Amino acid sequence: MYHSVGDTSDDPYRLTVSPDRLARQLGWLRRRGLRGVSMADLLAARTRGKGRNLVGLTFDDGYTDFVDLALPLLRQYGFGATVFVLPGRLDGENAWDPLGPRKRLLGKQGIRVAAATEGIEVGSHGLTHVDLTKADTETLRAEVADSRALLSELIGTDVHGFCYPYGALDRRAMDAVRDAGYRYACAVDPGPLNGVHALPRIHIGENDTSVRLFLKHRLHRLRRRPVEGA
């Protein structure tokens, strides 16, 4: 689970990784015979029993630096990824973060560039990045279903993946995502929830050296029970 790629000097939430560190992390994966892919490609491979050496790479929030900085590195290493964007904040900024710098979000053109790149999947992060566990019924519907409709129209193909803002989900939010037609959804730590609509992820940041990546990989495998239906 990545977010922004760029300058890490002002990063109170530790959500930014520098291009140099990202390159080292991608290289670490490749040296171990692993290949980064989109979540859609990872899940499809697993259904065929072919996902052993694949790693799903995700980039939340849809910052412009995904296209400007992350995408060239992913192509350099021959990796794919999923970028989760906010169709209700096109060309906007990360107004939901009270601390830290303002960062630009992808607009229509940037999202289309990402969607047209081989191996890159565009998924929904909701309309405007709100905590779905606190949303009323109408807001929940708009954030989940309307975002899928808008994004599908924008890129000209069905959107299959969703990512819960803040990683926050409960049974009501998960049901709304499933009922909206998404094939899978990414969380961070889904707690007691399980399944392809509550996929756990490992946060990766600037401090994650080779040693930390190794430990996170091992600890994740020990802490997480197998995902049901995946």
Side-chain angles (χ1 to χ4, degrees), residues 22-165:
L22 176 60
R24 293 185 186 187
Q25 292 165 348
L26 298 181
W28 183 89
L29 291 173
R30 189 164 69 177
R31 288 193 301 274
R32 281 152 182 80
L34 303 173
R35 182 166 64 91
V37 296
S38 70
M39 289 302 302
D41 286 346
L42 174 64
L43 294 173
R46 285 197 166 202
T47 64
R48 303 191 303 269
K50 303 291 186 180
R52 182 178 180 84
N53 295 320
L54 302 181
V55 178
L57 301 180
T58 62
F59 291 78
D60 292 7
D61 301 337
Y63 296 106
T64 57
D65 56 48
F66 175 78
V67 169
D68 296 338
L69 299 174
L71 196 52
L73 288 172
L74 291 168
R75 297 185 69 181
Q76 176 184 331
Y77 283 87
F79 286 3
T82 297
V83 56
F84 292 110
V85 303
L86 297 158
R89 291 187 183 271
L90 297 175
D91 292 311
E93 59 184 20
N94 56 331
W96 60 88
D97 287 335
L99 305 176
R102 298 300 91 193
K103 296 192 175 188
R104 300 297 299 176
L105 303 174
L106 291 169
K108 292 181 178 181
Q109 182 58 28
I111 291 174
R112 286 172 177 151
V113 167
T117 302
E118 183 178 1
I120 301 300
E121 176 194 19
V122 174
S124 172
H125 202 26
L127 273 178
T128 58
H129 203 286
V130 301
D131 185 342
L132 299 184
T133 65
K134 301 176 181 178
D136 59 36
T137 300
E138 181 59 25
T139 300
L140 179 62
R141 183 199 59 77
E143 291 288 330
V144 173
D146 289 1
S147 69
R148 181 171 188 252
L150 288 171
L151 197 53
S152 296
E153 181 179 4
L154 175 60
I155 64 176
T157 188
D158 285 341
V159 170
H160 300 303
F162 187 84
C163 176
Y164 300 98

